[in-house]
Amino acid sequence: GSSRGIGHFMAQELAKEGCKIVVAARTEEVADPKLPGTIHTVAAEMAELGVEALPIKLDITRDEDIEAAVPAILNRFGRLDILINNAALIFPAPFQQTAVKRLDLLHRINVRGPF
């Protein structure tokens, strides 16, 4: 979840310390102007900081995305030293108004994702 928010901030701070960055998130294109940031724009920012970055489209609800990401990271950088499980989702609504479909998605991203 490094295309925006806390994940974006953490990527910036690690880049400032010289870390190579994997920018992993679902967002390849901005669909909502209220939610700017993509894996590609953040990777470009890392390059501006003088740090090598690898943008990877990664939806943690898809096992095949996870299984493809690790070899891509190892192929590019040779190792993985720091992993930040930052992807998360919220639906600000009263619990009784939350649809089961949304609850399932929350669980898949917020609980199963880091697992």
Side-chain angles (χ1 to χ4, degrees):
S2 52
S3 62
R4 60 177 69 104
I6 294 170
H8 181 195
F9 175 78
M10 288 189 288
Q12 287 174 321
E13 293 303 306
L14 288 167
K16 289 175 187 175
E17 296 299 321
C19 294
K20 296 175 183 175
I21 304 294
V22 176
V23 183
R26 296 182 302 168
T27 310
E28 288 190 287
E29 296 179 10
V30 175
D32 181 350
K34 293 179 186 175
L35 297 171
T38 70
I39 58 174
H40 304 292
T41 59
V42 174
E45 287 177 27
M46 301 301 107
E48 289 175 13
L49 292 171
V51 171
E52 187 177 356
L54 173 64
I56 293 182
K57 181 174 170 60
L58 178 59
D59 180 341
I60 61 171
T61 67
R62 296 172 38 92
D63 292 342
E64 56 271 22
D65 282 10
I66 297 165
E67 291 165 6
V70 174
I73 294 164
L74 296 177
N75 184 50
R76 176 74 168 271
F77 297 125
R79 66 186 209 209
L80 176 63
D81 295 322
I82 301 170
L83 172 65
I84 299 172
N85 284 314
N86 184 62
L89 186 64
I90 62 168
F91 294 112
F95 183 76
Q96 63 273 24
Q97 294 175 5
T98 302
V100 171
K101 183 178 178 179
R102 284 191 169 193
L103 183 61
D104 288 343
L105 181 60
L106 283 169
H107 185 267
R108 286 175 43 221
I109 292 175
N110 297 357
V111 177
R112 187 179 185 271
F115 171 77

